[in-house]
Amino acid sequence: MSRVRVHNFSISLDGFGTGEGQSAEEPFGHAGQRLHEWFFETRTFRAMTGQPGGGTGVDDAVAGEWNTGIGAEIMGRNKFGPQRGPWEDHEWKGWWGPNPPFHTPVFVMTRHPRPSVEMEGGTIFHFVDATPQEVLRRAREAAGDLDVRIGGGPAIVRAFLEADLVDHLHLVVVPIVLGRGVRLWDGLEGIEQRFRVESVTTPGGVTHVTFTRP
Amino acid sequence: MSRVRVHNFSISLDGFGTGEGQSAEEPFGHAGQRLHEWFFETRTFRAMTGQPGGGTGVDDAVAGEWNTGIGAEIMGRNKFGPQRGPWEDHEWKGWWGPNPPFHTPVFVMTRHPRPSVEMEGGTIFHFVDATPQEVLRRAREAAGDLDVRIGGGPAIVRAFLEADLVDHLHLVVVPIVLGRGVRLWDGLEGIEQRFRVESVTTPGGVTHVTFTRP
């Protein structure tokens, strides 16, 4: 059976996966870029965004796993865009320009479905109002033999963890104290007991933590 | 000027420094021993508690700094004992037996002062109802040229961090999700900006994080 994976999910020392006050200008709210600076330095991120260069150390090696063997992504509406409530603007097609880096079907969880949007390069956004189990069923169908990635944000990752649907969780603990925003861990007491846990700190100062289903 | 230091302060991935439901049987509440298993394995801990053996790797090297050059400790009442409110039992003299491992004056912060208690081996417990600044002034006076350790629990460490009185903070992030208890980070947004931060993961699976005033 294909696995369900989370990759490159940054959290602060106090457990926030994004800051407060998300907007078109600040997708991570008051956190700004602080949760992802480690990622911007990697060759993986540079390649995703059409830039040359980037580091090729351990951060990059771990970051680069995000897209290996993935056949579909599931994301929350807040990852897709800054709008809330009924869609007022169907022109919004995500943060990623005409050719998003996913190149697979992407299932956007929202209580406000809208027609699918086909992008260049194989990315198709589907908008679904359904439980994690049902969305996963559809994503697995689309992914064939490949794995399904849970792309975030924190509320979506938490919902799939709570439903015990995640097989591999890669977190990046960034040593900052955000103080406010959306917490990853609420309601997940003792979740480490379901997983084999490994941690490694890299010279950039972040700690990669993987939770893998044994 | 002598420094103010915190050592071997374990927190969970979700930022709790102790669990819920502290009692005489469970000093860390529902966390049990999970936050401190890494510490029990060290030679430092074994020596503190009169046991032979213990590991001498990086965990032990870092743990062993707790008592170097320390002239006084400040702790919260909840670290001293499980009683709350007015003292009903002056017979309680801490968790540590007749010869506690501190061997210095120890200032116990409480709204319910009581007479000082002199133990074997140089430990004297003083009970003070005062601000962090005032308690620190007294501890520094007692410590002479030596440093002052803030011994915890989480509310006390947080109070001294909030008052910007800490020069060296050594945390140990244990990859468990406690879900409830006392949080270290509340009210400390952005505190990392005052410090130089380093992290290192050890084979035992914990991450030592030091915040040092530049």
Side-chain angles (χ1 to χ4, degrees), chain A residues 186-214:
Chain A
D186 285 358
L188 298 178
E189 178 182 337
I191 193 172
E192 74 283 355
Q193 293 162 27
R194 298 189 213 146
F195 295 94
R196 189 174 64 236
V197 182
E198 288 186 25
S199 304
V200 65
T201 305
T202 57
V206 301
T207 304
H208 297 274
V209 183
T210 54
F211 285 55
T212 311
R213 199 187 289 278

Side-chain angles (χ1 to χ4, degrees), chain B residues 17-23 25-33 35-36 178:
Chain B
T18 192
E20 199 175 71
Q22 293 174 268
S23 67
E25 293 72 36
E26 287 288 9
F28 292 91
H30 85 291
Q33 303 196 326
L35 286 171
H36 304 98
L178 278 182

Side-chain angles (χ1 to χ4, degrees), chain A residues 177-178 180 189-190 192 199 201, chain B residues 177-178 180 189-190 192 201:
Chain A
V177 178
L178 279 182
R180 52 210 161 93
E189 178 182 337
E192 74 283 355
S199 304
T201 305
Chain B
V177 178
L178 278 182
R180 51 208 162 94
E189 177 182 336
E192 75 282 356
T201 305

